[in-house]
Amino acid sequence: MTTPLAVVAETYFDGEQHFPAGPYTVLVEGGVVAGISQGDFSEALTRRGAQVTMAGFLMPGLVDAHCHLFLDGAALDGEARSRHLDLPLDALAETARRNARKAAACGVTLLRDAGDRFGVNHLLRAEAADCRMHPLVEVRA
């Protein structure tokens, strides 16, 4: 059983509506939002064993619906891009990890990798599920 998480936010956006004038307490159990209440219930939830964190603003994670994690998107030169495809699998996987970490730092919590012939997308999906890459990123491939 996982420890419940309570996030106390001054304001939040649920994907459709902005809720100002908090605080709001968002309770997460088993990775799912179990409830949202207006008010700061951090003391009571701490006594019940929840991990509590404070936030100024809270919103659902962003989704990148089409990416190729193994590619170096910074390389615009065709020859450089071709050379990148000749790198060994571990180098391609490291590029994918770096790209996933960058996405997570920007608020992306779900990456939909559109595939690659090397299987890097499947490697990253397994690593993300195992929380070795980043605990907040899910990779679907």
Side-chain angles (χ1 to χ4, degrees):
M1 178 175 227
T2 60
T3 302
L5 170 66
V7 180
V8 179
E10 292 304 314
T11 179
Y12 77 95
F13 175 67
D14 69 1
E16 294 182 10
Q17 183 178 347
H18 177 238
F19 293 85
Y24 296 92
T25 300
V26 179
L27 181 62
V28 180
E29 294 179 312
V32 176
V33 174
I36 301 173
S37 302
Q38 189 164 16
D40 181 345
F41 299 99
S42 58
E43 287 184 30
L45 290 166
T46 299
R47 285 193 299 274
R48 288 181 31 204
Q51 175 186 344
V52 176
T53 189
M54 309 302 275
F57 177 74
L58 189 63
M59 67 179 262
L62 301 172
V63 175
D64 185 338
H66 184 132
C67 65
H68 297 277
L69 289 170
F70 79 106
L71 292 175
D72 180 0
L76 299 178
D77 174 51
E79 289 181 27
R81 290 175 76 108
S82 291
R83 283 192 305 276
H84 179 78
L85 296 176
D86 291 332
L87 291 174
L89 181 61
D90 61 333
L92 296 174
E94 190 51 42
T95 297
R97 290 182 194 102
R98 186 173 49 254
N99 287 335
R101 286 191 296 269
K102 286 179 184 177
C106 294
V108 176
T109 58
L110 176 64
L111 294 164
R112 169 61 178 91
D113 189 296
D116 67 86
R117 67 180 183 229
F118 308 102
V120 175
N121 57 342
H122 299 295
L123 173 69
L124 264 285
R125 179 182 60 201
E127 287 182 10
D130 210 17
C131 295
R132 288 183 297 206
M133 181 179 60
H134 193 286
L136 299 176
V137 176
E138 180 180 348
V139 176
R140 295 197 182 164

